[in-house]
Amino acid sequence: GEDVEQSLFLSVREGDSSVINCTYTDSSSTYLYWYKQEPGAGLQLLTYIFSNMDMKQDQRLTVLLNKKDKHLSLRIADTQTGDSAIYFCAEKVMGTDKLIFGTGTRLQVFP
Amino acid sequence: DTGVSQDPRHKITKRGQNVTFRCDPISEHNRLYWYRQTLGQGPEFLTYFQNEAQLEKSRLLSDRFSAERPKGSFSTLEIQRTEQGDSAMYLCASSLGGLETQYFGPGTRLLVL
């Protein structure tokens, strides 16, 4: 089945690292994505990982994929107040072009 | 700005009225997607096009919803006889191909009174 789960909230202090977790159920996922959404805005692509990779680093962002456990995480190093937003993970399942999104994790960064 | 654009950004309508939204994808992107996002939820897939052809429709897309992409460029999403449950953010995305990343527009926020 198609189901993507995320924890609802995360609160971190400015300068610390944030880790946002996501679990998915479909083992035929081809790509997994992280999108950021600020209040009232559309979705901004942050990064993505192909399902045969286990890690991808892009500046302050590190994506880890554990395909056996169907677990995806996004680590944001040196978290800033401008990182406060809702973060969505999404999977693309083989045989379809649609994205299946999680419910989103609201990240709050405090000084 | 060469990103995905959507018009209008906000729409307030009365129950029973028809509404139409427009999406202009990134130029040369042949795939165009519509999603719906209700408050506190992630986006849910509605439908997508490859050029003019509508290739997949979600069960969420009731017969009151119709989407078109007549010339393979911009797309319209029409909702007939709107209901309060249609209140949501309607997001459009485009991609260069099926395996390519989807880039989202700013969305159209619909409120049905």
Side-chain angles (χ1 to χ4, degrees):
Chain A
E2 302 168 344
D3 197 14
V4 180
E5 294 187 355
Q6 301 180 237
S7 52
L8 292 180
F9 297 103
L10 177 65
S11 183
V12 298
R13 188 180 297 278
E14 191 174 19
D16 288 351
S17 293
S18 310
V19 179
I20 303 171
N21 294 301
C22 171
T23 57
Y24 58 97
T25 55
D26 200 312
S27 58
S28 65
S29 296
T30 54
Y31 287 90
L32 295 124
Y33 301 83
W34 284 103
Y35 284 88
K36 175 183 179 183
Q37 187 175 40
E38 299 189 49
L43 276 71
Q44 174 194 350
L45 175 69
L46 290 177
T47 187
Y48 64 93
I49 189 167
F50 188 49
S51 59
N52 69 354
M53 298 170 63
D54 51 22
M55 186 181 103
K56 181 178 180 181
Q57 187 151 3
D58 184 359
Q59 299 182 338
R60 292 191 298 125
L61 305 178
T62 303
V63 179
L64 295 178
L65 175 61
N66 182 328
K67 200 169 180 182
K68 174 175 168 290
D69 294 337
K70 300 189 186 68
H71 183 265
L72 181 73
S73 68
L74 174 69
R75 178 178 180 269
I76 306 173
D78 187 25
T79 313
Q80 302 298 306
T81 53
D83 295 324
S84 295
I86 301 176
Y87 291 79
F88 291 95
C89 67
E91 63 172 338
K92 182 179 285 186
V93 174
M94 189 180 294
T96 176
D97 275 2
K98 65 183 180 185
L99 295 179
I100 312 295
F101 284 86
T103 50
T105 298
R106 181 179 294 275
L107 173 65
Q108 183 176 19
V109 183
F110 58 93
Chain B
D1 189 337
T2 56
V4 178
S5 61
Q6 294 187 243
D7 183 69
R9 294 291 308 276
H10 304 273
K11 179 71 177 178
I12 301 174
T13 192
K14 291 183 180 177
R15 192 174 47 188
Q17 298 294 304
N18 299 344
V19 293
T20 300
F21 309 142
R22 176 179 169 127
C23 171
D24 286 87
I26 295 171
S27 66
E28 297 177 358
H29 278 194
N30 63 4
R31 302 253 174 159
L32 187 149
Y33 308 80
W34 286 99
Y35 292 82
R36 182 174 70 184
Q37 185 181 21
T38 53
L39 207 59
Q41 300 297 316
E44 295 173 293
F45 171 79
L46 292 178
T47 188
Y48 87 92
F49 293 84
Q50 177 173 296
N51 300 316
E52 308 86 4
Q54 190 172 16
L55 295 188
E56 187 175 348
K57 290 197 291 187
S58 162
R59 286 171 294 174
L60 293 175
L61 214 65
S62 77
D63 55 8
R64 295 185 298 106
F65 287 69
S66 62
E68 293 183 342
R69 195 182 182 199
K71 297 180 182 177
S73 56
F74 73 90
S75 175
T76 57
L77 177 68
E78 181 184 16
I79 310 174
Q80 296 183 325
R81 305 180 304 280
T82 51
E83 301 173 356
Q84 287 183 325
D86 297 331
S87 295
M89 173 87 92
Y90 290 84
L91 293 162
C92 176
S94 70
S95 69
L96 195 54
L99 294 179
E100 300 297 324
T101 303
Q102 294 179 26
Y103 294 92
F104 282 79
T108 295
R109 186 172 292 283
L110 172 67
L111 178 61
V112 182
L113 301 176

